[in-house]
Amino acid sequence: SETGLRIDLLATSGRRLWASDVIESELREIDRATLLPTGRPIRVGGSIDGLAGRDDHLWVLDRQLGVVTRVDAASRAVSRSVRVGDDPSGIAVGEDAVWVGDVGGSLYRVDVSTLEVGRIPVGFEVLGVDVDVASGEVWLYLGGAVAPP
C-alpha cells in the first residue's frame, strides 16, 4: 500500500507501528489496518539513521551527529539527545538499555530511564548490534581491530 511517505525505517512501540520519513526528518505513526499515516508527525531534527522501539518509546540514532534521541510515542514528546560516539553504526533496545555500536571500537549503553551513557571498549569495529529480548543478551557484529585510544 502507498503511504505517501519516503519511508526509510520501521519500528514498533507498544501496539503502534512507526515509519521514518527521510526527507522530512520526522516519524509518522502508521495505521495497521489501512497502512496510511495517522496523527500528527513527530519532528526529530537531524537525520534518522537508526530507529528502534520498545514499550512506549522510540529511539532515534543520528549517525552524523553521533547522538541518540528518546521519543515518547504516546505523548509524541522528544527528549534531549545524548552523545554515543563519533561513528555510530547501529542501534538496538533491550529491557533497560539502548545499545549503540561504534565503528571506532566501542559499544555504548544508554540507560532508558536516566539517559546516562556508558562506554564499553570492544577493540574491534562494531558494525551491527542487536538484543535478544528474551535472554537480555547483546549481540555484536564485529569488523577489524582498532587501535586503543
Side-chain angles (χ1 to χ4, degrees):
S1 172
E2 180 59 45
T3 64
L5 304 174
R6 278 99 25 203
I7 293 177
D8 186 36
L9 302 168
L10 294 173
T12 58
S13 68
R15 297 279 309 145
R16 296 183 169 127
L17 174 63
W18 296 89
S20 67
D21 186 319
V22 296
I23 303 300
E24 299 297 328
S25 189
E26 62 188 20
L27 302 172
R28 295 297 305 263
E29 185 175 359
I30 304 297
D31 183 285
R32 290 176 181 245
T34 66
L35 298 180
L36 294 174
T38 184
R40 62 182 165 82
I42 301 172
R43 298 276 309 154
V44 178
S47 62
I48 301 173
D49 301 309
L51 182 62
R54 181 160 177 87
D55 299 328
D56 283 330
H57 291 102
L58 295 166
W59 300 88
V60 178
L61 173 64
D62 182 331
R63 287 185 175 141
Q64 295 167 350
L65 297 178
V67 298
V68 168
T69 304
R70 179 178 60 195
V71 176
D72 184 314
S75 70
R76 289 172 155 54
V78 177
S79 74
R80 67 181 172 89
S81 299
V82 294
R83 184 95 169 114
V84 288
D86 294 326
D87 198 4
S89 57
I91 186 170
V93 61
E95 184 69 31
D96 60 354
V98 174
W99 299 91
V100 178
D102 188 85
V103 175
S106 296
L107 178 66
Y108 291 86
R109 180 191 185 278
V110 180
D111 185 285
V112 297
S113 298
T114 65
L115 297 181
E116 288 183 38
V117 179
R119 177 180 168 271
I120 303 166
V122 176
F124 293 87
E125 299 170 324
V126 181
L127 303 176
V129 60
D130 201 2
V131 176
D132 180 338
V133 178
S135 69
E137 296 174 321
V138 178
W139 290 88
L140 305 178
Y141 170 47
L142 301 177
V146 297

